[in-house]
């Protein structure tokens, strides 16, 4: 398998891995948000009833309800912060690094191939002016290409 095809396979696999991890994190966040919502709802209902009855004996019903509402908002905010704490970038950083290295390697290989193609074109153009002297100039890049193709296999 050549370097180019290996790098393309690497890029494809890392992109799939990155997508899977992002989907996994989103699924986990959704599950945590759902659990937090259910827990918060049941806890809020039971806590509100019990605290309202307890606060009503020492303060007015309106003050007791306001205090409970504030506590509910704080609790819900804490649940959301816990669920959002997961960071996708930390989990996919190694895969992104491998993908970027493969892309850089492909770019380098394409630049080398472009330079070799330019040498061959230049050698073919020089045949017109000096047919005998440019035969060696034409053969050297072609031999290099053959050697590289054999060594990649």
């Amino acid at each position: 398998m050549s370097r180019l095809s290996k790098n393309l396979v690497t890029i494809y696999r890392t992109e799939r891995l990155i997508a899977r991890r992002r989907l996994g994190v989103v699924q986990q966040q959704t599950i945590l948000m759902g659990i937090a919502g259910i827990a918060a709802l049941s806890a809020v209902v039971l806590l509100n009833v019990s605290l309202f009855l307890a606060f009503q004996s020492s303060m007015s019903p309106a003050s007791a309800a306001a205090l409970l509402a504030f506590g509910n908002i704080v609790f819900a905010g804490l649940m959301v912060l816990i669920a959002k704490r997961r960071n996708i970038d930390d989990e996919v950083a190694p895969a992104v690094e491998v993908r970027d290295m493969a892309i850089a390697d492909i770019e380098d290989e394409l630049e080398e191939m472009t330079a070799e193609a330019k040498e061959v074109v230049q050698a073919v153009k020089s045949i017109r002016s000096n047919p005998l002297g440019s035969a060696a100039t034409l053969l050297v890049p072609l031999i290099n290409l053959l050697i590289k193709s054999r060594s990649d296999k």
Side-chain angles (χ1 to χ4, degrees):
M1 202 192 254
S2 71
R3 274 183 28 203
L4 181 62
S5 61
K6 284 181 183 178
N7 286 327
L8 289 174
V9 168
T10 302
I11 290 170
Y12 173 71
R13 288 181 179 167
T14 55
E15 285 298 328
R16 276 188 16 207
L17 177 66
I18 290 167
R20 282 184 184 165
R21 286 308 315 140
R22 285 188 175 158
L23 181 61
V25 169
V26 168
Q27 286 174 339
Q28 288 175 348
Q29 283 179 336
T30 303
I31 290 169
L32 287 173
M33 287 284 203
I35 291 171
I38 292 169
L41 182 63
S42 62
V44 165
V45 168
L46 295 174
L47 187 64
N48 283 343
V49 170
S50 63
L51 287 177
F52 181 76
L53 293 173
F55 288 152
Q56 191 178 15
S57 64
S58 62
M59 60 179 72
S60 70
S63 299
L67 183 61
L68 289 175
F70 177 74
N72 292 337
I73 290 172
V74 170
F75 179 72
L78 287 175
M79 290 293 124
V80 169
L81 288 176
I82 290 170
K84 282 189 168 185
R85 210 170 176 177
R86 305 277 321 233
N87 190 357
I88 294 172
D89 294 333
D90 292 341
E91 290 191 23
V92 298
V96 169
E97 185 177 342
V98 170
R99 179 200 60 196
D100 292 345
M101 287 184 340
I103 290 173
D105 197 30
I106 287 173
E107 289 172 348
D108 291 342
E109 189 170 340
L110 288 175
E111 286 176 7
E112 289 174 13
M113 291 169 67
T114 303
E116 290 171 359
K118 285 180 182 179
E119 288 177 12
V120 170
V121 167
Q122 193 63 26
V124 169
K125 285 181 181 179
S126 67
I127 287 177
R128 271 189 266 153
S129 61
N130 187 6
L132 294 176
S134 61
T137 308
L138 178 62
L139 290 176
V140 170
L142 291 175
I143 291 171
N144 284 338
L145 285 173
L146 285 172
I147 291 171
K148 279 189 179 181
S149 68
R150 296 284 183 193
S151 66
D152 284 343
K153 292 180 182 177

